[in-house]
Amino acid sequence: MSGAKAVREDRLWQRHAEMAKLGGTPKGGVNRQALSPEDAAARNLLASWATARGFSIFTDAIGNLFVRRQGSDPGLAPVASGSHMDSQPTGGRFDGMYGVLAAFEALEALEDAGIQTRRPLMAVAWTNEEGSRFQPGAMGSAVFAGRFKLDDMLGVKDWEGVSLGEALAATLNAAPAPMLDAMTGFPLAGYVEAHIEQGPQLEAECKTIGVVTGIQGSRRYIVHIAGEEAHAGTTPRSARKDAFAAATRVATAMYEATTDQDDALRFTIGRVEVQPGSPNTVPGKASFTIDMRHPEDAVLDVMEKTLLEIVPVRAAPCSARTERVTNVAPTNFDRRVIELVREKAERLGLSHMDMPSGAGHDAMHIATLCPAGMIFVPCERGISHNEIENATPADLAAGTRVLVEVLLELANY
Ligand code: GLV
Ligand code: MN
Ligand code: MN
């Protein structure tokens, strides 16, 4: 039996259903934020499936979880596939989880078909890809790739003040796995990540497989505004330093400045905090996050300059500062991996199209370490980062069949 034929659609779908119970929400989505008890439960479930199949598991210092299927030449660098198991606070069942379960299904399919690879194969669940609880996102893969420093990340705090180091220790305590000696990554011979598209193109074009050519650049910022707390009933508007009013002026100017003709620049203010958060106190502090993306770094450079200029001018008479949290350059995937994805989709008789990724993925960091690429499958109406996110069992299995065939090529190379 071929690797692709051994992929079991029913098993893959069932595993999604079981994972969806961990942090499951009444609307059918998941709230399984990074390094939460739900994340630990997902780690334990994956580990239990892995050990039942005779695969080994281990973790590293940032909590990335690796499932390893041995190769005939165990000394060779492994080929890896995976994604993330953490979710947005109101996330869907497939964002990230599909990539982990597709990778795991690939390992199981090869096991079922009795196919041995030269290189070891790994299914990976990277820590904190979403970056909604702990910023920045794609943290586990970035630490693995040496792009973020482990110590810096351990000190990052969530919105409640819990440090990542504390949450990681609690998670690894609840979901123990043998710890890798090295503090960060090890050599990989290749990396392929399967993911739902999270956008509408595949569905609109009636294609099953997205051959992902690269990922647009992304930057995140936090704008901090400081005013002065005052009594809401007695203080004239002219005498106030209202931090929230300043935030709205800054934000309005930014929305205008980032509106482009071809609608290519992505600009999102997704989290706003106002302090002290009392209805009858003029806010003394306000902060908001900015997520900005574009395929060209030069455009992001220009926009960043514009945003930085807007902040002090529009925030006055309050004071303000802008903190840049991340700057991830656009990624171009490896030509050979892109060709392999296209060729395997074609051979399997699956409709396909080349496309860039609008969303960020762990593959953008791993691509700096080894030849890397991605496989997209459609999701309903392109909706993601939403509890109603949906995909079909057939499309998930189709993407996994392509994945198995690409992994086989890379692992026997
Ligand atoms: C990942 O979820 C992203 O924000 O692109
Ligand atoms: Mn994702
Ligand atoms: Mn996501």
Side-chain angles (χ1 to χ4, degrees):
M1 194 172 14
S2 76
K5 282 227 176 76
V7 167
R8 277 182 41 198
E9 181 180 312
D10 57 335
R11 177 171 60 193
L12 181 63
W13 186 251
Q14 185 56 33
R15 295 224 189 282
H16 278 90
E18 287 186 48
M19 281 292 186
K21 291 180 195 155
L22 309 175
T25 61
K27 286 188 188 159
V30 287
N31 178 2
R32 191 174 45 240
Q33 294 185 64
L35 306 176
S36 62
E38 295 77 21
D39 182 358
R43 289 160 183 265
N44 278 329
L45 186 54
L46 180 67
S48 73
W49 291 337
T51 6
R53 290 299 319 232
F55 304 141
S56 54
I57 59 157
F58 60 94
T59 189
D60 65 7
I62 190 76
N64 297 317
L65 180 61
F66 301 87
V67 175
R68 180 183 170 106
R69 179 173 187 258
Q70 197 51 283
S72 60
D73 204 339
L76 290 180
V79 169
S81 175
S83 195
H84 57 99
M85 302 201 291
D86 65 313
S87 81
Q88 291 285 316
T90 53
R93 289 170 288 156
F94 304 96
D95 177 0
M97 186 54 83
Y98 169 52
V100 174
L101 295 181
F104 188 69
E105 177 62 34
L107 265 53
E108 290 203 279
L110 294 177
E111 194 70 11
D112 291 345
I115 298 172
Q116 172 79 284
T117 54
R118 266 186 79 212
R119 295 178 182 278
L121 276 178
M122 280 185 182
V124 194
W126 303 108
T127 295
N128 183 33
E129 191 275 347
E130 293 292 1
S132 46
R133 177 180 177 196
F134 294 103
Q135 296 201 82
M139 189 185 272
S141 50
V143 169
F144 184 88
R147 289 183 112 189
F148 297 169
K149 287 208 183 78
L150 174 65
D151 282 346
D152 292 351
M153 296 303 118
L154 294 177
V156 166
K157 295 210 162 106
D158 72 5
W159 306 100
E160 262 73 56
V162 178
S163 78
L164 185 121
E166 290 167 68
L168 179 60
T171 302
L172 294 182
N173 193 36
M179 179 65 76
L180 185 75
D181 285 342
M183 287 309 274
T184 51
F186 46 83
L188 291 176
Y191 178 75
V192 191
E193 178 165 348
H195 208 282
I196 55 165
E197 182 201 340
Q198 307 185 277
Q201 284 189 63
L202 288 173
E203 199 180 66
E205 305 279 336
C206 296
K207 305 282 192 213
T208 306
I209 300 294
V211 180
V212 188
T213 51
I215 300 181
Q216 67 178 342
S218 63
R219 301 188 189 190
R220 276 211 201 172
Y221 311 83
I222 305 178
V223 178
H224 303 269
I225 297 176
E228 190 172 52
E229 289 171 19
H231 196 288
T234 59
T235 320
R237 291 273 291 268
S238 57
R240 293 181 184 194
K241 285 187 185 170
D242 182 332
F244 181 64
T248 62
R249 289 193 300 274
V250 173
T252 303
M254 286 182 169
Y255 284 122
E256 277 166 19
T258 52
T259 304
D260 59 340
Q261 273 205 331
D262 49 356
D263 201 6
L265 183 70
R266 306 279 184 259
F267 174 86
T268 306
I269 294 177
R271 186 177 178 104
V272 181
E273 273 190 304
V274 180
Q275 285 170 20
S278 163
N280 51 349
T281 296
V282 174
K285 281 196 181 137
S287 64
F288 61 88
T289 58
I290 296 172
D291 179 309
M292 184 165 70
R293 312 187 195 202
H294 194 276
E296 288 170 48
D297 231 10
V299 174
L300 292 171
D301 282 341
V302 171
M303 286 320 305
E304 176 175 296
K305 197 163 165 282
T306 306
L307 297 187
L308 291 176
E309 282 165 6
I310 286 173
V311 173
V313 176
R314 299 301 179 110
C318 296
S319 61
R321 92 191 145 82
T322 309
E323 176 192 352
R324 185 164 78 185
V325 183
T326 36
N327 175 4
V328 183
T331 303
N332 294 312
F333 285 133
D334 181 78
R335 269 188 41 207
R336 187 164 149 260
V337 178
I338 296 172
E339 276 162 22
L340 271 176
V341 173
R342 199 185 293 122
E343 178 191 311
K344 298 300 178 187
E346 187 72 34
R347 285 235 192 117
L348 289 165
L350 298 165
S351 57
H352 57 87
M353 64 186 276
D354 285 13
M355 59 194 304
S357 174
H361 299 287
D362 294 300
M364 66 198 176
H365 294 307
I366 306 306
T368 63
L369 281 185
C370 66
M374 290 190 75
I375 300 166
F376 278 173
V377 296
C379 59
E380 203 174 303
R381 291 193 292 133
I383 293 177
S384 184
H385 284 193
N386 188 321
E387 290 157 283
I388 65 168
E389 179 186 271
N390 202 12
T392 69
D395 287 342
L396 298 177
T400 309
R401 289 191 185 102
V402 176
L403 177 67
V404 175
E405 293 300 320
V406 174
L407 290 177
L408 271 175
E409 289 277 344
L410 295 174
N412 288 325
Y413 186 63

